[in-house]
Amino acid sequence: MKLTIFAATGGIGRLLLAQALAEGHEVTAVARRPEAVSPSPGRVLAADLATADAEDLVPAVAGADAVLSTLGGRSRDDTGVATHGTEAMIAAMRVTGVTRVIIVSAAPIGTVPSPARPHPPRHDPGDNGLMRYVLGPAVKRVLRGHYADLARMEDALRASALDWTIVRPPRLTDGPLTRIYRTAHGQNLRGGTSVSRADVADYMLRAARDHADVQQIVGIAQ
């Protein structure tokens, strides 16, 4: 397949890139710092997704079978990058006729208000009591701006006519690739408190390869 990977130097992005190349896919990597992309896929494009517009991204997505993005803010200064970058991505895909896109969000987003979902459910059906009443609220307070950005990003995807898949992992770890993980549509996983970045990357490639879970929000956990 011809794949475009956005945020190819991030925690999931670099593993996604390595796995895609190991499977023999033709990859275009997009990163703010192209010199940091490793391993090199041969085609690397520079783009700052906090400011890029559709015209900037057309060369990156043109001809792709699927676009995969692990875009998200790494600090408070990056709040808004997921929404802006994804909206530019969507617009570039419309211009080029590319339809398949798989994007990483986060497990708590189902209960985070957004312009399109001002009154989301108070609790995710997959969360246990500890997550609902202690850990979840605490994490959402600390990462309020980051999660609001991801919620708006999800709004943009759902409003598009693209063949999107939104992946919502819980706590990410640096554990090994196991390919032993669970998924669920529209909710988090019971007892699923963590998943390795390598396994999230594996799922994203599988979803692209099999055209699986189109227009689905997918919870993932070990």
Side-chain angles (χ1 to χ4, degrees), residues 39-178:
S40 175
R43 187 166 189 254
V44 182
L45 300 181
D48 184 346
L49 276 296
T51 58
D53 59 23
E55 185 177 352
D56 298 325
L57 304 185
V58 163
V61 303
D65 295 307
V67 172
L68 303 97
S69 174
T70 65
L71 184 62
R74 298 184 183 182
S75 68
R76 290 184 180 180
D77 292 339
D78 287 333
T79 299
V81 66
T83 301
H84 179 89
T86 301
E87 288 176 342
M89 224 179 289
I90 290 169
M93 291 176 69
R94 286 177 178 149
V95 169
T96 59
V98 176
T99 60
R100 186 70 173 115
V101 58
I102 302 157
I103 288 188
V104 176
S105 182
I109 304 305
T111 58
V112 174
S114 67
R117 298 173 69 247
H119 305 292
R122 289 188 62 193
H123 306 294
D124 188 289
D127 290 343
N128 59 25
L130 181 63
M131 183 59 67
R132 288 185 179 188
Y133 301 112
V134 181
L135 298 180
V139 170
K140 282 192 281 190
R141 280 195 298 271
V142 173
L143 298 176
R144 183 179 305 167
H146 177 60
Y147 285 162
D149 184 22
L150 292 178
R152 293 192 301 272
M153 175 193 76
E154 289 195 6
D155 283 353
L157 281 166
R158 285 193 297 267
S160 74
L162 300 178
D163 294 335
W164 53 265
T165 299
I166 294 169
V167 189
R168 287 181 179 168
R171 182 176 64 87
L172 293 165
T173 75
D174 290 325
L177 172 64
T178 69

Side-chain angles (χ1 to χ4, degrees), residues 1 8 27-28 32 35 60-61 109 112 115 126 135 166 178 198 203-204 216:
M1 291 186 297
V27 180
T28 296
R32 182 183 300 176
E35 70 278 5
V61 303
I109 304 305
V112 174
L135 298 180
I166 294 169
T178 69
Y203 167 77
M204 294 176 74
Q216 294 284 347

